[in-house]
Amino acid sequence: SSDSNGGGGGGESLQEVGKKRSNSELEFGELSSVAAMSTSKCYDPSIPRTGRWTDEELAFRDTIIGHFLEGSLPLSNGLKLNDFLSSILQSKQSRLTKKMKHAKLSTKYFRLKDGCMKDVVKAKEFSELEFNFVTCVSDPVERSEIQFHMQREWREHLAERCTYLRIMFDAEKWLQSVDQMDRRVVLEKNRSRMNKRRMLMGKALETDV
């Protein structure tokens, strides 16, 4: 009948109402899903990391310290241990000293020996521990930026070492790779901002409902 089809008086049909409702529910469902997945703040790499240490980060930190003291990293002589750890882990220095009260980080300096890991097994273990540390970071934006940051830090240390030893390398390609990493960080930040906007829209829709 005309009533069942919503006819007369310019009313909407049940089919049209149902379609609008399903579209609205679908949009709200998508926004809620994004909100659940995108709880990340727009992580700022210029702000040192704080908070508790994960087991993966502790394992990687201890390995870094060991190689630092052995002189088997591509670093410059005289680099202070607490400065290096704070930089490579993007950690607040007070976070380091609180966790390692008796380590005397500020009194230990890098003394080059080999400048590389000659033991393949140790080098592989170092890479695995670094990978485990990065992947244990739950926030996707923070995880991406920590990974980009560490790659850039290692490349800068290596480039500085090569320059000091007068070893030629393609600086232009290196700079391009650094620029590419910076662009990827910006894209991640923009993606995070968009997700946050969608999350707020989802909350607004939930409030309206």
Side-chain angles (χ1 to χ4, degrees), residues 31-183:
L31 292 173
S32 298
S33 177
V34 171
M37 292 187 294
S38 287
T39 56
S40 72
K41 304 170 184 175
C42 193
Y43 178 75
D44 187 348
S46 65
I47 301 176
R49 295 170 57 243
T50 58
R52 73 180 188 86
W53 293 75
T54 62
D55 292 338
E56 292 83 358
E57 185 177 13
L58 287 172
F60 181 52
R61 181 207 64 188
D62 292 344
T63 300
I64 286 180
I65 292 175
H67 286 290
F68 183 97
L69 298 177
E70 288 176 2
S72 59
L73 297 175
L75 306 175
S76 300
N77 277 321
L79 181 61
K80 194 181 293 185
L81 178 55
N82 63 338
D83 290 339
F84 173 65
L85 287 177
S86 177
S87 175
I88 198 71
L89 297 176
Q90 285 189 302
S91 175
K92 196 171 183 179
Q93 290 210 3
S94 60
R95 180 172 178 258
L96 290 165
T97 54
K98 183 178 180 181
K99 189 70 177 179
M100 306 175 70
K101 293 180 180 179
H102 307 294
K104 298 180 180 179
L105 300 178
S106 60
T107 64
K108 296 178 181 177
Y109 297 83
F110 184 74
R111 294 289 178 265
L112 184 70
K113 186 178 179 182
D114 295 323
C116 64
M117 299 177 200
K118 293 183 176 180
D119 189 324
V120 176
V121 175
K122 286 186 176 181
K124 184 178 179 180
E125 179 188 24
F126 185 91
S127 296
E128 289 175 349
L129 290 172
E130 182 182 58
F131 176 79
N132 291 340
F133 159 54
V134 172
T135 53
C136 82
V137 178
S138 58
D139 185 289
V141 176
E142 182 179 0
R143 181 171 59 248
S144 295
E145 292 195 354
I146 287 176
Q147 183 178 15
F148 299 153
H149 166 80
M150 292 181 72
Q151 289 176 355
R152 183 166 53 191
E153 284 287 307
W154 286 123
R155 291 184 184 194
E156 287 180 354
H157 283 300
L158 181 59
E160 185 178 345
R161 189 66 195 155
C162 289
T163 301
Y164 176 79
L165 295 174
R166 297 181 180 179
I167 298 175
M168 299 297 294
F169 66 98
D170 194 334
E172 184 177 352
K173 285 190 177 295
W174 178 79
L175 290 172
Q176 287 176 355
S177 68
V178 171
D179 184 54
Q180 183 181 18
M181 283 193 290
D182 286 336
R183 287 199 299 271

